[in-house]
Amino acid sequence: MARCLTLARTRHSEGAVTVPRDFAESAGFRSDLVIGREESFGAAREQLARGGSVLLHGPAGIGKSTVLRTLAAEYARTSHTVLRCSATESESHLPFLALADLLGLVLDDVSQALPAAQRTALESALTGRGESTLQRDGLALRLAVLSALRALAAAGPVLVVADDLQWLDPASAELLGFAARRLGETPVRLLCAVRTEGPETEDAAYDRHVRASPPDTRAVRLGPLTRAQVATLLGERGYAGLHRATVRDIHRTSGGNPLFALELGRALAESPAAPRPGEPLPVPTSLRALVLSRLEMLSDEARRTLLVASAGARPTPALLRAAGRENAEAETAQAAALGLLATDPEGPTVRFAHPLISAALYAEAPAPERRAAHAALSTAASDPIERARHLALATTGTGTDPEVAARLAEAASLARDRGAPSVAASLGLLAARHTPADSAPGPDERRVAAAEDAITAGEQDLARDIAREVLTRATAPGDRVRAWMVVIEAAGQAIGEVDAVFPQALADAGDDPRLLAQVHYQLAWRSLVVQGDFAQGREEAAHAARLAARGADRRTELLALAFQAQCETLMGHPDAPATIGRALAEPQDPRVACHHNGAGSSRFRWLVMSDRLAEARATVTTLLREVRRRGMAESEVHYLRFLAETELHSGHCGRALELARESLTLARDAGIGEGAGAMQAALAEAAGGDPGRALELAREAVRRAEEDGDAVYLSRALAALGHANLVAGDAGAAVRALRRVRELEAGAGITDPARGRWQGDLAEALVRTGEPAEAMDVIEVSRAHALRLGRGSVLAVLDRSEALVRAGRGEHRAAVARLTSARERLAGLGYGLEEARAAFALAELHAERPGRAPGAASYDEATRLFRRCRSLPWLERVEAAVAARSAGPSPAPAATPDGLAGLAAMERQVAALVMEGATNREIAARLFVSVKTVEATLTRVYRKLGIRSRVDLVRLAAGGRTD
């Protein structure tokens, strides 16, 4: 058992901030609590595991202590002795204090192993008795620390854990560095953390501590967290109810610093009212004290100049002068000298050294001074959006003002056109606040518009709250129905959770065709997502389109036609091309045209399913560019996924993996379409990444679809799970998942096999599990639909699967012909990965021919094609197949009874390996299937041969009797 000597002094902060207890102490030091540090944590763990040392570094509050404690707890179990010290700034002037922390309690254990002079010097330094100094006992003391560590290591590995190296007293730091540089192969690992503020190349503290570390030390820098990671951290610490817009502000204000983010989250949780959009976050006193101490050294005028800068979006010296700060250059130079501002070599922007400095400065200022700063900027700013925002903040609390409201509404419209819907939502809410109740448009209409902008920006929770606020008081049917639509849109794929909304929305709509069209459009989505009924969804969409046309609501009409076209495409309905044409007809609404539920998206889906991959790629690339320009967050998530799908079909696995991961990251960041993102990422990982990760993502996609009651994406997620299992070698699990897909799609009325392209995988998995009859049923049913709809790539994949069935029956020539034809057609259509899979199947078939010598030559073409696709998982399968052929299996013994010839191909392979004496696990590894598949195959072999066990099978091979 490790002897752990924890001698660290109680430490409540990293810097001058008093840290709450739940942040200062990691709960059990579990590595899963090290949020957003997976890569850094993995690098440090790998270094420690191989006996090396680690130096963690980064700015105050970045999470170094959390990572250090978690690693220390993990590696303490494998260490015989753990020595700890944690310095503080107030104690850094006391010589040998850190050394006493490290070695004080082990002095008795090691002193006898030290020469007398070293022992005397070390005892004097640690106990304070005598007058030991580095000048007086320099060499003896240095050698004593080195000898002590070697003596401890003689009994077992030693782990030295030192936090806050920057506060180590100079004497202890020098001694520890001397020993560290000379430990050599001694089993002593150092796990240290030090505060560094700038980049590695610019930070003197970093250089100094690296030089004092063992030669094999790995320096690991901890950088800022992403917005998604900050959201996860806040959720883990009990602040999960914050709006995504608020989380975005916390991330921006904290600069991704976890300590700062948690303190801001705590302040928001304790605040009686959340800040309104456009207003700054409340900055707690603890963080103000951390960043504002240097402000006391500024003149009053310089402080006022910085306040104006903190209120501006992109302050420059010219803007500050226009806002009345005549000496802006000199005053900002003074602030930069104190470290409050950072110099920007690329432009004249006045930039704060950390966003928290700006936020704390603004929060510290009295309200009248803030309003004065905004008033000055409302005339000085050149951008009309900025001028309107500052005007609103300068007049906050002064009541309604139609002129201010109109300017804000105009600015919101301008922000919307510029592709900044989040800014538009914020300005819209400010406009509503200044709008008199009897105005036209009224405050509720402007609030609903702000909610719709929030939906576009991907801020569903903010949109939902605005809509519900409107519904508590609005009486106008138009405002109420639009608010209900926002509530439904904000539910996303979990539309079943807002079922109670529909009767209320229909009641509010009355007999107004415009309003009824909006409700029936959402009912179409409900039919599809909740009930999985494409026919009903198509009917509702067609009804919504007719109502919208009668009410002259072209936007809703276009959305409904696009939805109808999407249903018809997936159903294999013959009207799909004509409906797409109607949805693309003029006049168009530019926002609908590029929306992920618009006609452009429907046409993309039709192109992909029709094997027109080049056109599909060009279409979705154009759509992606447009939604990015417009700031349409949800559409961007979907189009990235669509582009990943297109690249995957084309066999560009590396590019598909990048796009799918980017889409999933954005989805998680915004909380939009995470299930769909996980589904596509699973397919991309299975093709070009990690099959294990593919399985995790596919299971997540299935779980999310089931939790949301999403019948549409449940079948897609199960198809991804089945494919991932097939790639991972578990044909049985693939069959179970894909059978569910078949049942779900049959129930939903989906007949087009190009929708999910799972039929070939199911047939192949059924062949591998010894169920060729069901495989042929899948192939024949799917082929009939594919022939009717002209789905060439699907027909080629089905032929590839049928070849496997024929090979199992011994029809070698027919199987080769089908595989050769399938490969050629897939190559012609541009399906690179499917072409490579056909080449692989062909190589397997040639390798199984009787009398053919095993070797890698027949797999060369498959290897070349998979390498061209950058498909690592499939390359690994080829390598496994080559290795299995090179090692055997040996041909069955000559005495094998004729009954063995009646077995399917896989059954013969398994039986032959059993005859060689291979275990089920060995067979599974050689054939690249699961152990369960081997067991199921053996059960069928026993039944067909009329035997009961492996022993009987071996006896058959030897020509013996089975009783």
Side-chain angles (χ1 to χ4, degrees), residues 731-813:
V735 167
R736 289 190 294 276
L738 295 173
R739 276 176 176 158
R740 284 188 66 192
V741 178
R742 193 182 189 192
E743 294 169 3
L744 287 168
E745 293 205 351
I750 300 172
T751 60
D752 194 331
R755 188 246 180 176
R757 300 177 182 270
W758 48 266
Q759 297 83 359
D761 283 346
L762 176 55
E764 180 177 335
L766 286 166
V767 170
R768 293 185 180 279
T769 56
E771 299 165 90
E774 185 180 347
M776 278 308 302
D777 180 62
V778 171
I779 291 168
E780 289 168 358
V781 171
S782 304
R783 181 178 283 142
H785 291 302
L787 284 168
R788 174 175 60 85
L789 297 166
R791 304 306 192 212
S793 62
V794 174
L795 288 167
V797 169
L798 292 172
D799 279 356
R800 185 185 70 201
S801 301
E802 184 177 346
L804 301 179
V805 176
R806 290 182 177 274
R809 295 173 180 167
E811 302 172 20
H812 186 271
R813 182 172 298 175

Side-chain angles (χ1 to χ4, degrees), residues 319-339:
L319 176 64
L320 294 176
R321 285 196 305 273
R325 308 312 302 165
E326 297 177 357
N327 298 315
E329 282 89 347
E331 289 160 355
T332 54
Q334 181 188 358
L338 293 171

Side-chain angles (χ1 to χ4, degrees), residues 38 46 48 76 105 131 230 271 290-291 311 347 362 489 550 566 597 622 698 750 755 788:
E38 292 78 12
E46 178 185 344
L48 290 169
L105 294 184
E131 298 179 357
V230 166
S271 176
L290 176 67
V291 299
Y362 187 93
E489 286 281 353
R550 189 163 17 124
Q566 190 92 300
N597 289 327
T622 300
I750 300 172
R755 188 246 180 176
R788 174 175 60 85

Side-chain angles (χ1 to χ4, degrees), residues 939-951:
T939 299
R940 293 193 300 274
V941 169
Y942 298 157
R943 185 175 66 250
K944 289 182 178 181
L945 297 182
I947 59 179
R948 291 173 292 182
S949 68
R950 298 170 67 94
V951 174

